[in-house]
Each structure stands twice: as structure tokens, then as C-alpha cells.
Amino acid sequence: MTDTQKATIADRYASGETLRAIASALGVDKSVARRKVMAAGVRLRPRGRPAGPQMPCAVAECWSAARGEHGLCNLHRQRMRKHGDPRRERWPSLRERVEARIDRSGECWVWTGVRSGGGYGQVWARRRMRLVHRYVYEQLVGPVPEGLVLDHLCRNRSCCNPAHLEPVTTAENVRRGLNGVLRGAA
Ligand SMILES: [Zn+2]
Ligand SMILES: [Zn+2]
């Protein structure tokens, strides 16, 4: 092996060629090629890392190299896994989580997330389950008066359109519910 060959081993490796390819091209042992690369101070790529110039992270303004799935760097892949969006740095707020799960294509604002046994939308907030229609009403209209419950005028319990909700007493809510059942049975 000539001196030029020795010098180029590290350069070729640094430019993306594999040790195996370089070794077979120069007719030397792979372990010899590896020693030359290390002696030249070029860092060895971890096994299984594809050779060749590294792809940049798929997030446009990120300068880190993409690794593994999604073509994202470690940081952005972590965010993707945690929050479902590589650009999201924090957990979505309660409001964002609620907004993302309401289908407002029809008259009723239909909750598409988890529902209670009774059919009401539910969402976790501060370690407890909250009723979604009540949360939406409080956000868009105001607090539900003390002692009153929200009645669904549309009889669609998964609906959280505040225009379909009316604060009533529990007795009134039960009476309306029973009327609905009796009408349905008739
Ligand atoms: Zn990135
Ligand atoms: Zn409705």
C-alpha cells in the first residue's frame, strides 16, 4: 500500500464510503482500513448507520442530521413521539385537546373522544375526568349557575354546542329526559 493510498482511506471513509468497500477497492484487510481511519482522527460511524452524506432533519430550520424513522433528528423525533408533532415543544393545552376532538361539521358539535357510559364526552384535566360539554359551555358562555345542570336540548349527549345546552335544575333535566323516553316509546 502506498502512502497516497493510506492517506485516502480516511478521506474516502469520511466522504461516506464503507470500510468494506474501501478495503476491497484497495486490496487491504478491513481491519487495516479501520485502523487508518482511526489514526487519521476520523470518527467511525456506528454500525447500521447508512453510509453516504447524512440527510438533514425534516424540520426545515433544524441543522441536525436525521436519524432513524421519519427523517428527523433525535430531538424532533422525540417531540414527534411525545406530542404527535415534531415542532411541538410542550403538551397541548386542555383547550387545544378539546378543540381537536370536536367535529363541528354539523349542527351539533360532536365529541369524537372518550365518552362516559352515559354517552357524555369526557376529557382528563388536572387528574380528574371532566365533562366536555360543561367545559365548552364554561369557556364560551360562562359558569353554570350553582346547583344547575346542563340539559342537551338536541338530546345528543355527545354534543357540546353551547347553543344546544341549557342550564336547568336536576329535577327539570330528569323530567325532560323522561318525556323524551316516553315520546320515544310511544
Ligand atoms: Zn431536527
Ligand atoms: Zn346538539
Side-chain angles (χ1 to χ4, degrees):
M1 189 170 17
T2 66
D3 281 348
T4 332
Q5 279 177 331
K6 283 181 197 166
T8 56
I9 288 179
D11 291 337
R12 290 175 68 162
Y13 183 79
S15 73
E17 270 189 84
T18 61
L19 283 176
R20 183 200 295 270
I22 300 165
S24 79
L26 299 178
V28 299
D29 202 75
K30 203 174 137 188
S31 61
V32 174
R34 183 183 294 115
R35 274 203 297 279
K36 297 294 169 202
V37 168
M38 289 166 73
V42 175
R43 274 181 61 181
L44 288 170
R45 292 187 288 269
R47 273 172 204 277
R49 182 73 55 79
Q54 293 235 307
M55 291 292 293
C57 174
V59 172
E61 66 275 16
C62 175
W63 57 56
S64 299
R67 298 169 202 284
E69 16 159 27
H70 305 308
L72 295 166
C73 70
N74 288 339
L75 171 75
H76 286 118
R77 197 176 55 255
Q78 232 170 45
R79 286 184 186 166
M80 177 78 180
R81 233 187 359 239
K82 253 180 154 172
H83 311 305
D85 179 348
R87 290 168 189 275
R88 191 181 283 283
E89 293 175 38
R90 56 177 176 81
W91 292 101
S93 67
L94 175 58
R95 179 161 183 158
E96 285 169 331
R97 283 191 288 136
V98 168
E99 278 175 345
R101 289 182 178 81
I102 295 178
D103 175 6
R104 288 189 291 184
S105 56
E107 281 281 307
C108 285
W109 294 5
V110 180
W111 176 249
T112 61
V114 177
R115 292 182 195 180
S116 71
Y120 296 104
Q122 290 183 309
V123 68
W124 274 106
R126 296 175 194 266
R127 296 184 187 177
R128 66 188 180 95
M129 274 294 198
R130 293 200 55 179
L131 290 169
V132 177
H133 67 281
R134 200 177 166 96
Y135 171 76
V136 174
Y137 187 92
E138 284 168 357
Q139 289 292 305
L140 299 179
V141 180
V144 179
E146 185 81 32
L148 298 188
V149 294
L150 291 174
D151 180 38
H152 281 90
L153 300 171
C154 57
R155 298 290 129 214
N156 178 0
R157 288 178 172 183
S158 65
C159 171
C160 26
N161 183 345
H164 295 182
L165 299 169
E166 188 191 5
V168 294
T169 61
T170 309
E172 173 65 10
N173 196 27
V174 168
R175 195 186 62 76
R176 288 181 184 182
L178 281 177
N179 278 346
V181 169
L182 292 176
R183 267 202 307 275

